[in-house]
Amino acid sequence: MQITPMSGPFGAIARDVDLAADQSEATMRALIAALHEHQVLAIPGQSLDYDQYAAFGRFWGKPLLFLNEKDRKQEHPELIRIANPPSTPQRFRDGARFWHQDSSYEDVPASVTMLYGIETPREHGETLIASARLAYDALDAETKDRIENLVGLHCLGGSPALPGENIPCNAEAIARYGLTSHPLVLRHPVTGRKALYLSGSAYGVEGMNPEEGRELVGRLRAHCTLPRFVNTYKVETGDIFLWDNFQVLHSATPIEYSDEPGKRRLLYRISTKGIPALCAAEAAA
Ligand SMILES: [Fe+2]
């Protein structure tokens, strides 16, 4: 297997690996280490069946069950269907077109998310990724000191929107998940590296007045998504593309809603919670 950097400020591509034939401990350890180092990882040219993809997903943590039950694949409920049929109601279109870290509105948020491209459009459908680790590293020492022990307050869709964002406001989901909190500066549970944790759900900061907290969250979200911390990846058919939610924010880009060949998209997402079982010893050390 060869791991080479992606073009852009971060990210890596793993080649010469066939996950349908090889999900050995050595291969998985190398992929996990690559994701932790490079923050996002593309593994092109795969031809897994759904059992094999679900097995691959379990190496990264405990797969979560997505809030919208209709998007779960029947035989594999941890596989979340992402498609663009023209029948999609307007209110559900481009629902991930805002900067976020997955499931940040839950007490235990998603650690890793992966997409597997089954069918992909010729144009559009890129994923934008922003490094909250590079963004943290670039802060001045005074800001780092000031935010070191702050706790972010989160609720689904709670963040102040940046230009062009479409932050979802789903009253039912907000009622279901309520409020939660996470450190504003998160230490990676395996590597210990620090990154900002803001997602699209941080709406304030514990102990600050609401306006001040919201202003700080908005400012840090804008900082994280400066072009120098952003990379783009388009998932193609056969790609598995993973990101580390403890190091990056991501945003979907607009896509045409169509079932025509060359325009339709079918991806299966898996998100996990917790750390890979293979990293348990490192994390405890
Ligand atoms: Fe997402």
Side-chain angles (χ1 to χ4, degrees):
M1 176 167 48
Q2 266 202 326
I3 296 190
T4 50
M6 251 175 213
S7 58
F10 63 95
I13 302 178
R15 299 187 195 281
D16 303 326
V17 57
D18 174 4
L19 295 168
D22 175 12
Q23 295 188 16
S24 63
E25 183 176 330
T27 294
M28 291 307 303
R29 279 190 185 280
L31 293 173
I32 291 166
L35 181 69
H36 288 163
E37 174 63 27
H38 297 281
Q39 312 177 61
V40 301
L41 179 66
I43 315 172
Q46 302 305 307
S47 53
L48 300 175
D49 64 28
Y50 294 118
D51 282 335
Q52 290 167 330
Y53 180 45
F56 174 77
R58 288 192 291 274
F59 274 98
W60 300 87
K62 185 176 183 306
L64 64 83
L65 295 178
F66 194 52
L67 63 116
N68 293 330
E69 289 177 27
K70 67 172 181 44
D71 294 330
R72 296 179 192 166
K73 188 167 170 60
Q74 227 166 14
E75 326 80 89
H76 292 287
E78 70 270 53
L79 269 59
I80 301 160
R81 185 184 167 87
I82 298 175
N84 60 340
S87 59
T88 307
Q90 200 60 40
R91 68 183 186 283
F92 293 133
R93 294 186 178 208
D94 295 322
R97 195 161 59 81
F98 68 110
W99 289 104
H100 64 283
Q101 286 148 301
D102 287 322
S103 295
S104 56
Y105 46 85
E106 296 192 52
D107 293 340
V108 181
S111 44
V112 171
T113 294
M114 63 205 78
L115 301 175
Y116 181 28
I118 306 298
E119 187 171 8
T120 51
R122 274 193 296 271
E123 289 179 13
H124 307 304
E126 289 83 1
T127 302
L128 302 175
I129 306 281
S131 172
R133 182 177 112 199
L134 295 181
Y136 172 79
D137 290 345
L139 292 172
D140 60 63
E142 193 189 322
T143 307
K144 283 181 182 167
D145 273 358
R146 178 171 168 235
I147 65 172
E148 174 72 23
N149 295 310
L150 294 182
V151 173
L153 303 171
H154 292 252
C155 75
L156 196 145
S159 289
L162 296 172
E165 280 190 314
N166 177 26
I167 297 191
C169 184
N170 174 338
E172 194 187 326
I174 290 169
R176 176 169 162 185
Y177 287 101
L179 309 179
T180 191
S181 59
H182 302 293
L184 206 57
V185 178
L186 202 69
R187 273 184 178 276
H188 194 278
V190 175
T191 66
R193 278 185 174 136
K194 292 178 186 173
L196 293 167
Y197 194 80
L198 298 152
S199 194
S201 58
Y203 65 90
V205 176
E206 214 170 76
M208 277 189 187
N209 75 47
E211 296 75 37
E212 199 189 354
R214 195 166 176 80
E215 192 273 330
L216 178 59
V217 166
R219 196 148 39 88
L220 291 173
R221 291 185 85 241
H223 170 73
C224 271
T225 53
L226 290 172
R228 68 181 189 272
F229 305 131
V230 172
N231 213 348
T232 303
Y233 191 79
K234 185 180 175 197
V235 176
E236 300 287 1
T237 303
D239 283 1
I240 294 179
F241 179 58
L242 304 100
W243 61 82
D244 184 340
N245 286 294
F246 296 144
Q247 304 193 68
V248 298
L249 292 106
H250 61 283
S251 172
T253 53
I255 190 165
E256 184 177 349
Y257 281 76
S258 171
D259 50 14
E260 285 175 38
K263 291 187 173 179
R264 62 187 176 219
R265 174 165 77 168
L266 178 60
L267 311 176
Y268 279 105
R269 166 185 156 188
I270 298 175
S271 288
T272 61
K273 294 191 172 190
I275 61 168
L278 291 172
C279 297
E282 281 166 72

